[in-house]
Amino acid sequence: MKQKIGLTTGILLILTWCLLPVAWIISLSFKSQEAITNGSPGFFPSPGGTAGFANYSDVLADEQFRRAIINSIGISLIATTLSVLIATLAAYAIARLEFQGKKFVLTTALVIAMFPVVSLVGPLFDLWRTIGIYDTWPGLIIPYMSFTLPLAIWTLSAFFREIPWEMEQAAQVDGATSWQAFRKVIVPLAAPGVFTAAILTFFFAWNDFVFGISLTSTEAARPIPAALSFFVGADPFNRPASLLAAAAVVATIPIVIIVLLFQRKIVAGLTSGAVKG
Amino acid sequence: MQARQGPGRRRLVAALATLACGSALLTACGGGDSGKPTLNWYINPDGQDTLTMLAEQCSTDEYDIAIQLLPASATDQRTQLARRLAAGDTSTDLMSLDPVFVAEFANAGWLEPFTGDRAEAVLDDDVLAGAADTVVWEDEVVAAPQWANTQVLWYRKSLAEAAGLDIGPDSPVTWSQVIDAAASQDGATVGVQANRYEAYVVWINSLIAGAGGAIIEDTEAGRDAEVTIDSEAGQAAAAVIQQLADSGATQPDFTTSNEGTSLGRMFPDDGGPGEFMNNWTFVYKNYESTVGAVGGPADEQELEDLGWARYPQTVEGEESRPPIGGIDIGVGAYSENLDYAQDAAVCVTSPEAQSALAVTDGLMPSRNSVYDSPELQEAYPADLLDLYRQSIETGAPRPKSAFYSQISSAVQSVWHSPTSVSPDSTPQESADFLRQVLSGEALL
Amino acid sequence: MSTVTAPREGGTRKQGRKETPEVSDRLKAENNLGRKLVAPAIVLMLLVTAFPMARALYLSLFSYTLTAPDDREFVGLGNYLTALTDSLFWTTTLNTVMIMVVTVFVELVIGFAFAMVMHRVVFARGVIRTSILIPYGIITVVSGFAWQFAFSNTNGFVNSWLPFVADDFNWFAQYETSIIAIMVSEIWKTTPFMSLLLLAGLAQVSEDMLEAAKVDGATWFQRLFKVILPNMRAAIMVAVLFRALDAYRIFDNIFVMTAGANGTESISFLTYRQVIEQFQLGIGSALSVLLFLSVLIVAFVIVKVFRVDLSNARQG
């Protein structure tokens, strides 16, 4: 009984920890901008300082922010797709093939995972403006791919190692063509891993800030985190806290949806193969 | 530093930008395929609605002007523009520049100088001295003044009266008097801009200039300019900041205060005495448009209680040197449509354009004659217009140096936090640091 | 990073691999195929890191400002000397190390507690898992804003919730409280990640051993320190390594919450300011190189001091 109380308390603590700041940002997004300018302390909007959904409609009416959403979704999706594709090839080789340089690949991936991105943005900015992809989608997609590859390769090779590849041969013996064997046997087994790697990669690209502010300068490519930090409200001298909060909530919705749908897979991806033995 | 528009106004406009760039996913929007070029005008967020209108009006049969919005802070605006220009961007045609960045941009060769008729059109005798000074670099006109900004002392008449402060057009006050007056009244405060950002340097610069000094002299020498912040004037400036910091008349967010944080303290909800606030010209339109709203005056009568006076003196008897700000329009040197862009720059800085910005957005003209226009005379009290005009004419610009942003950062880093400022050490320390930074011997 | 070893290879491939000429051909083909498959990944990873790093090395030998390109001048190792003799560089580094140590320690303690709860819990697993993934998935900039506004004395709630703190207390007015606010945001966002890694480690601790210890009369504390923690050592160390390197590179929260005011700058932020804001490509590049080297040093120290076995590591 005592243990049960302790456990329940623990669960409540975890839920509070995780959700209180989220609740706060939602609550803040309902404070009116006038109340913010004038100062409106407290967790909940004051009775006279409630904005309803005005902040949301303002944010969604903001052309720059709408562009940022499109940029973020487009760039993150393309980077994720390409990164997972390339990582799948590499992870397959690492998990199933013997070849020279395997160690080099894994070392490179590890070093890049630890790389301080800030030390790259200067030269990268220089390089990008020389070859003309500064402030474009490819200008962000390429670094996102590079920096998500390690994560994707490690996750995928961990998954691929668990796949019983002999089943493919077994299926072929049973009369399936090699394509059928691959599609009916291997794809279903590999899909969860690919999927998990894709989600984690997407999270990374969605979250990135350093590249986002350094390699863009207009809404042609500026992603959401950069747009948030440059957000302009009615009052250029005060951060439009409640508008920003509304924008932040909007930017978090895709994350919440992904988490709700795939929480099991994400946890598996983060932990499976993270630690062996 | 720029002013702002009132919080009651909607700013999410940029509809034109959509039209121009809506489909351009992978490239910055530039000249369209149709043959009629589109000029990109990078604007800062002040007065968006009017600027959008100006862009439309100044578009001709030969070219269209599309608005691109820059971030809110002056520092971010500079970074965004400079990155584009450093990349040799051909789609940066027109840009709204904070005056302090004009020298840096011109020195880097990023601004196409105005010559001949156009130079005369954008810079003639009608332009007020404080504003005119900001667009000249190495004897060339490198930008067109669009509007000018300055700070005045805003206050509650009732507060000044209660504190026994003699204040008016003919009786200028000193910083010391203002701080004492606020400290003498329970709940009264002095509003300034003392966060670690550009406007804090604005304040420091005007304090020093008001005592007859300068942060730095001989600025055209670039890195070899003479640092003069460790002068008596520098000490006088530090003394003012120290006096305010120790006075008890500071606002709770003193060390993170900006142009917006002290607005709500003029007419507080709890009926407090209000404040003395040194702030830009937008303040008048701001309170005028928020009568009856949260953070604004309760009614027209309370608005009557709003007083204004010339920027306070640093040293008693020595004329104050109010801050100068505003926006200059520069034309990108890599633009593919230099002639069109310069014509457009002339158009968006015309007297009519300046009048529209002043009347609707509180962004004051850089041209003397516009102050006499019937529209302005109707929109503003006559004495306020004169105060603005005089302040801009006699204001103190910030150092005009190609290394201004380093100078500014260096000053900020030593003078912030304002609670640590002391006349005995701060000016000396910041002079040493500034010299090191300029000679590349110290990190910023 | 030579301690990395290849993950174990999968399944059945090894059987029947004998030293016959035919197999040796197959080995060669396999070698080729393997290289071809990893080539795109390697090229991409190096394109974005190796080339810019080489360029940074080169530029770091010049005095070079983007806005005054004509003044470019070779200064040899002068930029490094300037940086390394500048007190700002060292206070910033110290501040960064402090942030790293404090946040990782707090995350470890709280994350472990969370992991214990999640390990024991039998009901509401989905709800907990979903909740704990939200801070993990949320944009760091959003977290920074949320906490900045929470600590704000004009629009926040922290002052009114905390006893002994005046309602108008300004958290961002001095170093100590600003850095606390920054660390709170950092810790909030990353503790869930830590707890998930630790949860995976907890799952590796055998229940039989715990039962045996219980039967032997070991107290809860003894079981924790003698059985659970030693068996989780690998998991803890890997989690610490990756979180520590992440924390050492802290940038987003500082940019959003204080912009480096009151001495809250991190080494990443300092580098960013020189290169991107001040356009000091010369000394900025020198700082970039120093930042990279210091990350390697931090990684090396952690690996050596804690004897992390990277062969089992995978970054998360």
Side-chain angles (χ1 to χ4, degrees):
Chain A
M1 192 59 213
K2 204 172 130 196
Q3 211 187 6
K4 189 141 194 195
I5 294 174
L7 212 54
T8 313
T9 320
I11 292 171
L12 287 179
L13 273 177
I14 294 180
L15 293 183
T16 312
W17 173 279
C18 296
L19 300 181
L20 181 81
V22 178
W24 154 243
I25 201 95
I26 293 174
S27 166
L28 182 62
S29 71
F30 286 103
K31 290 187 180 181
S32 75
Q33 290 169 60
E34 286 74 20
I36 292 288
T37 309
N38 200 37
S40 151
F43 192 88
F44 296 105
S46 60
T50 317
F53 286 93
N55 290 323
Y56 287 90
S57 55
D58 281 0
V59 159
L60 293 175
D62 186 323
E63 184 55 31
Q64 290 217 318
F65 190 68
R66 283 214 307 262
R67 297 276 320 159
I69 296 177
I70 295 172
N71 289 336
S72 260
I73 293 178
I75 291 173
S76 302
L77 282 182
I78 296 176
T80 303
T81 311
L82 293 177
S83 173
V84 169
L85 209 69
I86 294 175
T88 305
L89 300 180
Y92 176 83
I94 287 165
R96 280 205 78 194
L97 304 178
E98 255 333 301
F99 63 99
Q100 284 178 328
K102 189 188 269 192
K103 204 167 181 175
F104 177 70
V105 180
L106 289 163
T107 312
T108 311
L110 200 67
V111 172
I112 287 180
M114 296 177 178
F115 213 94
V117 286
V118 168
S119 61
L120 291 180
V121 293
L124 217 48
F125 159 68
D126 238 18
L127 177 63
W128 270 200
R129 74 190 169 94
T130 316
I131 61 176
I133 57 170
Y134 172 69
D135 199 23
T136 63
W137 279 25
L140 286 181
I141 290 171
I142 292 172
Y144 287 176
M145 284 170 67
S146 308
F147 279 91
T148 53
L149 272 174
L151 176 62
I153 291 176
W154 285 93
T155 311
L156 283 169
S157 53
F159 269 92
F160 287 175
R161 264 179 268 132
E162 308 298 326
I163 293 179
W165 295 95
E166 62 273 19
M167 280 177 66
E168 190 181 15
Q169 277 137 359
Q172 278 170 345
V173 170
D174 287 352
T177 65
S178 49
W179 169 245
Q180 280 173 329
F182 177 74
R183 203 169 57 94
K184 294 267 157 87
V185 180
I186 299 304
V187 169
L189 288 170
V194 174
F195 206 69
T196 305
I199 293 172
L200 297 181
T201 303
F202 184 84
F203 274 16
F204 176 96
W206 190 258
N207 184 44
D208 164 77
F209 182 58
V210 177
F211 290 123
I213 50 171
S214 312
L215 301 179
T216 68
S217 67
T218 60
E219 68 237 32
R222 186 179 293 151
I224 290 176
L228 282 179
S229 89
F230 293 141
F231 206 85
V232 177
D235 177 351
F237 297 132
N238 273 333
R239 269 196 177 139
S242 55
L243 266 184
L244 261 173
V249 172
V250 172
T252 308
I253 289 172
I255 296 294
V256 173
I257 292 175
I258 292 177
V259 165
L260 277 176
L261 290 179
F262 308 118
Q263 32 104 353
R264 214 179 281 268
K265 287 208 168 72
I266 303 171
V267 172
L270 284 174
T271 53
S272 81
V275 181
K276 293 279 179 188
Chain B
M1 275 294 106
Q2 300 102 28
R4 55 166 230 162
Q5 52 193 122
R9 305 175 46 81
R10 283 272 49 81
R11 69 254 156 259
L12 309 163
V13 183
L16 276 180
T18 332
L19 290 174
C21 306
S23 56
L25 279 183
L26 298 179
T27 54
C29 43
D33 307 321
S34 59
K36 187 178 177 186
T38 299
L39 305 177
N40 288 303
W41 179 14
Y42 288 84
I43 62 161
N44 61 304
D46 303 308
Q48 271 184 60
D49 297 6
T50 312
L51 294 176
T52 308
M53 192 192 76
L54 283 178
E56 212 168 328
Q57 287 173 355
C58 288
S59 295
T60 66
D61 293 341
E62 287 164 309
Y63 54 84
D64 291 317
I65 305 175
I67 296 269
Q68 308 283 333
L69 191 62
L70 291 167
S73 96
T75 313
D76 289 338
Q77 290 162 18
R78 164 184 165 274
T79 318
Q80 297 291 310
L81 283 174
R83 275 194 227 143
R84 292 203 77 83
L85 292 163
D89 179 39
T90 54
S91 68
T92 308
D93 301 301
L94 293 155
M95 51 201 143
S96 295
L97 293 170
D98 192 299
V100 288
F101 305 136
V102 170
E104 179 181 47
F105 280 33
N107 189 59
W110 293 342
L111 298 179
E112 183 68 18
F114 291 79
T115 53
D117 288 349
R118 291 202 196 100
E120 270 164 43
V122 299
L123 189 63
D124 53 25
D125 292 344
D126 191 31
V127 178
L128 295 166
D133 186 54
T134 63
V135 296
V136 179
W137 178 251
E138 289 179 344
D139 300 325
E140 285 186 307
V141 180
V142 291
Q146 188 185 39
W147 55 273
N149 207 349
T150 189
Q151 289 198 355
V152 302
L153 175 64
W154 303 96
Y155 63 96
R156 288 283 290 271
K157 290 172 186 166
S158 54
L159 169 61
E161 202 173 314
L165 184 67
D166 180 22
I167 189 169
D170 304 316
S171 45
V173 290
T174 65
W175 275 97
S176 182
Q177 288 166 346
V178 170
I179 295 166
D180 285 343
S184 74
Q185 299 299 304
D186 206 28
T189 53
V190 177
V192 290
Q193 295 88 43
N195 195 3
R196 183 175 165 165
Y197 78 130
E198 182 57 30
Y200 185 38
V201 183
V202 169
W203 184 28
I204 296 167
N205 185 62
S206 275
L207 284 175
I208 296 177
I215 292 175
I216 193 164
E217 278 169 13
D218 190 20
T219 48
E220 299 224 342
R223 292 193 178 278
D224 301 322
E226 190 191 349
V227 176
T228 51
I229 197 170
D230 50 343
S231 57
E232 269 179 43
Q235 287 163 8
V240 168
I241 296 174
Q242 189 185 39
Q243 189 195 345
L244 177 58
D246 296 343
S247 69
T250 50
Q251 296 175 349
D253 44 15
F254 176 47
T255 60
T256 47
S257 54
N258 63 32
E259 289 91 338
T261 51
S262 48
L263 286 177
R265 301 186 189 278
M266 187 64 80
F267 303 100
D269 290 341
D270 59 8
E275 62 175 341
F276 295 97
M277 171 173 70
N278 290 277
N279 213 332
W280 304 97
T281 58
F282 76 90
V283 168
Y284 182 76
K285 282 279 160 193
N286 174 63
Y287 288 135
E288 202 189 43
S289 68
T290 53
V291 173
V294 189
D299 47 33
E300 290 294 336
Q301 199 188 340
E302 202 168 68
L303 181 63
E304 289 288 302
D305 196 31
L306 179 70
W308 46 83
R310 192 182 164 101
Y311 197 77
Q313 298 175 344
T314 311
V315 181
E316 188 159 8
E318 196 164 330
E319 194 181 46
S320 68
R321 301 291 308 279
I324 293 286
I327 283 296
D328 299 329
I329 304 294
V331 169
Y334 307 108
S335 164
E336 282 166 350
N337 302 292
L338 284 175
D339 278 332
Y340 290 159
Q342 292 205 324
D343 284 342
V346 172
C347 178
V348 299
T349 57
S350 69
E352 296 74 35
Q354 297 197 357
S355 171
L357 281 168
V359 171
T360 44
D361 301 294
L363 309 174
M364 301 315 290
S366 54
R367 291 179 165 277
N368 193 3
S369 59
V370 183
Y371 285 84
D372 299 323
S373 73
E375 295 87 19
L376 259 76
Q377 292 290 341
E378 195 192 329
Y380 292 92
D383 62 327
L384 185 58
L385 282 180
D386 280 336
L387 177 62
Y388 286 162
R389 182 156 39 180
Q390 276 167 24
S391 297
I392 295 166
E393 183 74 17
T394 58
R398 281 156 279 166
K400 212 165 83 178
S401 161
F403 298 94
Y404 178 74
S405 71
Q406 286 182 53
I407 296 171
S408 172
S409 287
V411 170
Q412 289 171 38
S413 97
V414 178
W415 289 64
H416 198 265
S417 154
T419 50
S420 66
V421 167
S422 149
D424 302 327
S425 56
T426 309
Q428 184 61 49
E429 223 178 285
S430 66
D432 293 343
F433 185 54
L434 201 44
R435 287 188 192 105
Q436 282 184 342
V437 165
L438 282 177
S439 57
E441 286 160 15
L443 291 172
L444 259 176
Chain C
M1 294 294 110
S2 57
T3 49
V4 183
T5 56
R8 276 154 296 173
E9 48 190 312
T12 57
R13 299 289 300 175
K14 273 178 194 156
Q15 64 197 13
R17 185 177 288 160
K18 293 191 184 95
E19 290 303 314
T20 62
E22 183 223 355
V23 173
S24 147
D25 270 355
R26 250 180 56 198
L27 271 182
K28 214 176 254 172
E30 188 172 319
N31 195 24
N32 275 338
L33 179 63
R35 288 174 163 209
K36 271 182 200 144
L37 288 179
V38 297
I42 286 288
V43 167
L44 249 177
M45 288 194 284
L46 292 185
L47 168 74
V48 176
T49 49
F51 176 79
M53 220 49 227
R55 175 138 179 97
L57 262 174
Y58 171 74
L59 281 181
S60 69
L61 304 176
F62 291 88
S63 165
Y64 178 29
T65 311
L66 196 60
T67 49
D70 303 338
D71 298 351
R72 180 160 148 172
E73 190 187 341
F74 184 81
V75 292
L77 295 177
N79 285 327
Y80 292 95
L81 203 67
T82 303
L84 291 173
T85 54
D86 197 302
S87 64
L88 185 63
F89 176 80
W90 294 109
T91 49
T92 309
T93 305
L94 200 70
N95 184 44
T96 314
V97 171
M98 195 278 295
I99 293 175
M100 177 180 80
V101 171
V102 173
T103 55
V104 172
F105 178 76
V106 174
E107 284 162 19
L108 197 58
V109 173
I110 300 178
F112 189 76
F114 283 8
M116 292 286 272
V117 172
M118 287 191 286
H119 188 58
R120 290 266 163 260
V121 89
V122 280
F123 53 95
R125 280 200 157 173
V127 174
I128 295 179
R129 227 166 11 204
T130 307
S131 320
I132 209 143
L133 282 172
I134 287 178
Y136 169 77
I138 232 165
I139 299 174
T140 312
V141 171
V142 168
S143 164
F145 276 130
W147 286 104
Q148 187 196 20
F149 295 140
F151 280 103
S152 146
N153 61 356
T154 47
N155 291 303
F157 67 90
V158 172
N159 280 352
S160 56
W161 283 20
L162 285 184
F164 312 116
V165 174
D167 275 353
D168 62 357
F169 180 72
N170 186 351
W171 285 79
F172 299 102
Q174 53 276 316
Y175 171 76
E176 293 80 5
T177 49
S178 314
I179 206 80
I180 287 175
I182 289 171
M183 290 197 293
V184 165
S185 172
E186 180 81 5
I187 291 169
W188 175 70
K189 179 171 155 56
T190 50
T191 298
F193 171 69
M194 187 71 112
S195 68
L196 287 174
L197 287 191
L198 295 177
L199 179 63
L202 264 183
Q204 310 278 336
V205 179
S206 107
E207 287 294 325
D208 294 349
M209 272 167 75
L210 279 177
E211 274 310 311
K214 216 171 183 175
V215 170
D216 289 348
T219 64
W220 186 82
F221 265 100
Q222 282 169 330
R223 290 199 308 265
L224 178 65
F225 284 98
K226 302 276 184 199
V227 183
I228 299 180
L229 289 181
N231 277 297
M232 285 179 64
R233 197 171 166 285
I236 294 174
M237 288 316 158
V238 168
V240 164
L241 176 71
F242 284 115
R243 269 304 307 142
L245 288 176
D246 231 23
Y248 188 79
R249 294 175 290 181
I250 182 171
F251 176 81
D252 304 10
N253 273 318
I254 294 175
F255 185 98
V256 168
M257 295 176 79
T258 64
N262 298 317
T264 52
E265 276 178 334
S266 71
I267 184 80
S268 281
F269 190 86
L270 182 72
T271 308
Y272 172 86
R273 259 239 319 274
Q274 306 299 319
V275 179
I276 297 291
E277 247 174 65
Q278 299 293 345
F279 306 123
Q280 303 288 332
L281 293 187
I283 193 146
S285 297
L287 281 176
S288 300
V289 174
L290 290 174
L291 171 61
F292 178 59
L293 291 179
S294 67
V295 167
L296 286 186
I297 292 172
V298 170
F300 181 79
V301 167
I302 294 176
V303 168
K304 284 295 159 202
V305 170
F306 296 103
R307 301 198 306 276
V308 180
D309 182 5
L310 278 174
S311 60
N312 295 323
R314 184 184 62 77
Q315 73 118 19

